[in-house]
Amino acid sequence: MSFFRNFLFLGLLSVAFCQEHSDTDPHLFPRPLIIELPQNVEPRCDSSIEETRLRCTGWRVAGEANNLSPWKTIPEECIDYVKDYMLGRSYEIDLQMVSNEAARFAKSIDLKGDRMDAWIFDIDETLLSNLPYYAEHGYGLEIFDHSQFDKWVLEGVAPTIEPSLKLYKEVLRLGFKIFLLTGRTENKRNITVNNLIEAGFHNWERLILRGNEDHGKTAVAFKSDKRKEIMEEGFRIIGNSGDQWSDLIGSALSVRSFKLSNPMYFIS
Amino acid sequence: MSFFRNFLFLGLLSVAFCQEHSDTDPHLFPRPLIIELPQNVEPRCDSSIEETRLRCTGWRVAGEANNLSPWKTIPEECIDYVKDYMLGRSYEIDLQMVSNEAARFAKSIDLKGDRMDAWIFDIDETLLSNLPYYAEHGYGLEIFDHSQFDKWVLEGVAPTIEPSLKLYKEVLRLGFKIFLLTGRTENKRNITVNNLIEAGFHNWERLILRGNEDHGKTAVAFKSDKRKEIMEEGFRIIGNSGDQWSDLIGSALSVRSFKLSNPMYFIS
């Protein structure tokens, strides 16, 4: 891109992205600065690693912006990136940001007082985290294995996504009715209820799982149909929180939706 | 988040994100390694800078995922981040990725052969870049100044966004009719046409600008109305490319839409 080449910051940027790490105040050092690295630490930022990180960030953000075609596994070159993202501060910061934005929006709503204002939450990677499962299965590099994943779900030990619990409690406090709308199937109702309660979630209005009649529907169709039913009962769906675009798009849409980060898998 | 704290990678990650930069192959150096920095380069990665970078990335991605409430200026702490992003490889990589994804989708479409398959492009920050203007106005830190910006637009020198030109040509080659749908007003038609042609864009079907009758409409309403008119003429809107969510949402939606990156401004 000739235009961008005319900006002369590229060289500076590669420095800006690959910065010097120090646990001490760098300004305490005299200059020119001599740093002695311990023997077991290898310098890790060459241009190809940096380029891979930028490509993987681009891929992740494209997913968050709903720009990607359906995908089955994460790009092979991004396994370290996805792992670092999920286990590090970035994922946590992103979850906190979406929780805060949603709470700010919820607070801005003038509830009608008829108890018909509703908020929908997805469950997996929205209220409960399956990260312990994915950590054992390549963070999305392995093709999804239904029976293995079902075994994990049936353990009922998926941990709380804390920023979502904070939002959940706030939405409840404000007077919204909470609907949990999940692609999990009816045969997992009990374990899901137990897991949710164990994880700190209480007082939802309804937990909607996939029944036999929903078999074969895409997630978009299933969730749109269920939102339509909720609306036909007279509820106003104000907010909708989910980690998949298929939680949020289709028909019978919420006033605003909130996309939680998830670079590990894609559901159509 | 107690669960995430149980993963012990946080310490490692802060190192992983703050890496050592070297222009030469690091494996050529003996260890322990001594690096002498030039006198005018300050080490820049302490934990607060890193935390700011993560927060600003989170903010940018939240925008790309349409999670943010309308905003007037970028967060003050993110000015360096946005500048580095826009001028560096990241923005370029992101533009190329969305262009490639859109082209892949366009190629997957079985065109009907009646010349009624349509693709919509927004103009500013989609086909033409206003980065030279924003570089002079704080990369979104300054509150938007209509009259200053109009002056820039009337110069007619906004550069090409090259990955979008590549997509544009591909979409045209495949046989789509191209509609340009922009929030620019009718009094800028001539300069816009000239700028587009100068930038390499040709053979669009129609250029739709805001007329007097569109005054006071939000971008979402204006663009939805115009898409509806296009559909009522019998066109099938297959793809829609824009840098604002207001280009893509509302009613009369395209089959798929493609959100180009833009952390500099927000249009409702």
Side-chain angles (χ1 to χ4, degrees):
Chain A
M1 301 199 302
S2 58
F3 165 66
F4 293 105
R5 281 205 202 96
N6 291 339
F7 276 82
L8 302 171
F9 294 81
L10 292 181
L12 289 174
L13 279 173
S14 63
V15 178
F17 275 111
C18 292
Q19 294 160 341
E20 182 61 37
H21 180 74
S22 166
D23 289 330
T24 53
D25 183 348
H27 297 284
L28 295 177
F29 291 107
R31 289 176 194 81
L33 183 64
I34 310 243
I35 296 167
E36 198 155 333
L37 293 183
Q39 221 161 347
N40 58 345
V41 175
E42 292 188 17
R44 276 180 290 181
C45 191
D46 60 30
S47 62
S48 82
I49 290 178
E50 178 57 13
E51 186 76 7
T52 302
R53 192 176 76 74
L54 294 181
R55 272 201 305 272
C56 293
T57 303
W59 169 80
R60 180 175 73 78
V61 178
E64 294 307 314
N66 199 21
N67 284 337
L68 299 180
S69 298
W71 48 275
K72 284 194 165 33
T73 60
I74 63 172
E76 203 168 330
E77 68 170 355
C78 299
I79 178 160
D80 288 341
Y81 172 84
V82 171
K83 178 181 171 181
D84 289 351
Y85 171 79
M86 292 302 295
L87 301 182
R89 279 285 291 151
S90 301
Y91 181 49
E92 197 170 349
I93 284 174
D94 290 352
L95 292 175
Q96 284 163 353
M97 182 161 298
V98 71
S99 170
N100 292 343
E101 282 294 323
R104 193 173 303 135
F105 170 66
K107 278 181 226 167
S108 77
I109 298 297
D110 191 14
L111 270 75
K112 292 279 186 297
D114 58 1
R115 308 280 298 155
M116 297 301 277
D117 292 293
W119 198 286
I120 296 180
F121 286 95
D122 168 56
I123 294 181
D124 293 294
E125 267 54 69
T126 300
L127 300 184
L128 299 178
S129 174
N130 298 301
L131 187 48
Y133 173 84
Y134 282 95
E136 297 291 316
H137 292 84
Y139 298 92
L141 192 68
E142 294 178 17
I143 288 187
F144 184 71
D145 182 326
H146 271 286
S147 70
Q148 285 288 319
F149 185 71
D150 278 5
K151 271 187 210 167
W152 153 257
V153 168
L154 291 171
E155 288 178 36
V157 295
T160 315
I161 293 185
E162 296 286 349
S164 295
L165 178 57
K166 193 176 158 206
L167 171 65
Y168 182 102
K169 286 178 176 172
E170 179 64 13
V171 159
L172 208 54
R173 188 189 70 76
L174 290 166
F176 289 90
K177 290 278 176 77
I178 290 180
F179 290 79
L180 308 182
L181 179 49
T182 174
R184 290 185 177 198
T185 47
E186 273 292 349
N187 62 345
K188 298 191 189 70
R189 180 176 287 274
N190 288 345
I191 194 72
T192 300
V193 168
N194 293 344
N195 197 154
L196 284 165
I197 288 171
E198 189 68 28
F201 298 97
H202 304 281
N203 298 322
W204 58 81
E205 175 72 12
R206 199 175 302 164
L207 166 61
I208 305 169
L209 304 101
R210 260 184 194 262
N212 286 335
E213 69 279 13
D214 305 310
H215 189 72
K217 284 184 190 173
T218 62
V220 173
F222 163 62
K223 297 201 166 185
S224 294
D225 287 351
K226 293 300 167 185
R227 284 196 301 272
K228 185 160 174 270
E229 289 173 23
I230 293 168
M231 284 181 176
E232 282 170 353
E233 291 178 50
F235 289 100
R236 296 173 294 276
I237 304 178
I238 307 297
N240 185 6
S241 298
D243 66 295
Q244 298 289 321
W245 277 99
S246 54
D247 298 328
L248 310 174
I249 61 175
S251 54
L253 301 182
S254 54
V255 176
R256 266 188 71 184
S257 66
F258 296 91
K259 169 71 177 73
L260 281 75
S261 175
N262 183 358
M264 298 189 298
Y265 59 87
F266 180 96
I267 298 173
S268 290
Chain B
M1 300 200 301
S2 58
F3 166 68
F4 294 104
R5 282 203 202 97
N6 291 338
F7 276 82
L8 302 171
F9 295 80
L10 292 181
L12 289 174
L13 280 173
S14 63
V15 177
F17 276 109
C18 293
Q19 294 161 344
E20 182 61 39
H21 180 72
S22 166
D23 289 332
T24 52
D25 183 349
H27 298 283
L28 295 177
F29 289 107
R31 289 175 193 83
L33 182 65
I34 311 249
I35 297 166
E36 198 153 335
L37 293 182
Q39 221 160 348
N40 58 344
V41 175
E42 293 188 17
R44 276 180 290 183
C45 191
D46 59 30
S47 61
S48 83
I49 291 178
E50 178 58 14
E51 186 75 8
T52 302
R53 194 176 74 76
L54 293 181
R55 272 202 305 274
C56 293
T57 304
W59 169 80
R60 180 176 72 78
V61 178
E64 294 306 315
N66 199 20
N67 284 337
L68 299 180
S69 297
W71 49 274
K72 283 193 166 33
T73 61
I74 64 172
E76 202 169 330
E77 68 170 355
C78 298
I79 178 162
D80 288 340
Y81 172 84
V82 171
K83 179 180 170 183
D84 289 350
Y85 171 80
M86 292 302 295
L87 301 182
R89 279 284 292 151
S90 301
Y91 181 48
E92 196 170 349
I93 284 173
D94 290 351
L95 292 176
Q96 283 163 352
M97 182 161 299
V98 70
S99 169
N100 291 343
E101 281 293 323
R104 193 172 304 135
F105 170 65
K107 278 182 228 168
S108 77
I109 298 297
D110 190 15
L111 271 75
K112 292 279 187 296
D114 58 1
R115 307 281 298 157
M116 297 302 276
D117 292 292
W119 198 287
I120 296 180
F121 286 94
D122 168 58
I123 294 181
D124 291 296
E125 268 53 72
T126 300
L127 300 184
L128 299 179
S129 174
N130 299 301
L131 188 47
Y133 173 85
Y134 282 95
E136 297 291 316
H137 293 83
Y139 298 92
L141 192 69
E142 294 178 17
I143 288 187
F144 184 72
D145 182 326
H146 271 286
S147 69
Q148 285 289 320
F149 185 71
D150 278 5
K151 270 188 210 165
W152 152 257
V153 167
L154 291 171
E155 289 179 34
V157 294
T160 316
I161 294 186
E162 295 287 348
S164 295
L165 178 57
K166 193 177 158 205
L167 171 65
Y168 183 101
K169 287 179 175 170
E170 178 64 14
V171 158
L172 208 53
R173 188 190 68 78
L174 289 166
F176 289 89
K177 290 278 177 79
I178 291 181
F179 291 78
L180 308 181
L181 179 49
T182 173
R184 290 185 178 199
T185 46
E186 274 292 349
N187 61 347
K188 297 190 189 72
R189 180 176 287 275
N190 288 345
I191 195 73
T192 300
V193 168
N194 293 344
N195 198 155
L196 284 165
I197 288 171
E198 189 68 28
F201 298 96
H202 305 282
N203 298 322
W204 57 81
E205 175 72 12
R206 200 175 302 164
L207 166 61
I208 305 169
L209 303 101
R210 261 183 193 264
N212 287 334
E213 69 281 12
D214 305 309
H215 190 72
K217 283 184 190 173
T218 62
V220 173
F222 163 62
K223 296 201 167 186
S224 294
D225 287 351
K226 292 299 168 188
R227 284 195 301 270
K228 184 160 174 274
E229 289 172 24
I230 293 168
M231 283 182 178
E232 283 169 352
E233 291 179 50
F235 289 100
R236 295 174 294 275
I237 304 178
I238 308 295
N240 185 5
S241 298
D243 67 294
Q244 298 289 321
W245 276 100
S246 55
D247 297 328
L248 310 175
I249 61 175
S251 53
L253 301 182
S254 54
V255 176
R256 267 188 71 182
S257 66
F258 296 91
K259 169 72 176 72
L260 280 75
S261 176
N262 184 358
M264 299 189 299
Y265 60 86
F266 180 97
I267 299 172
S268 291

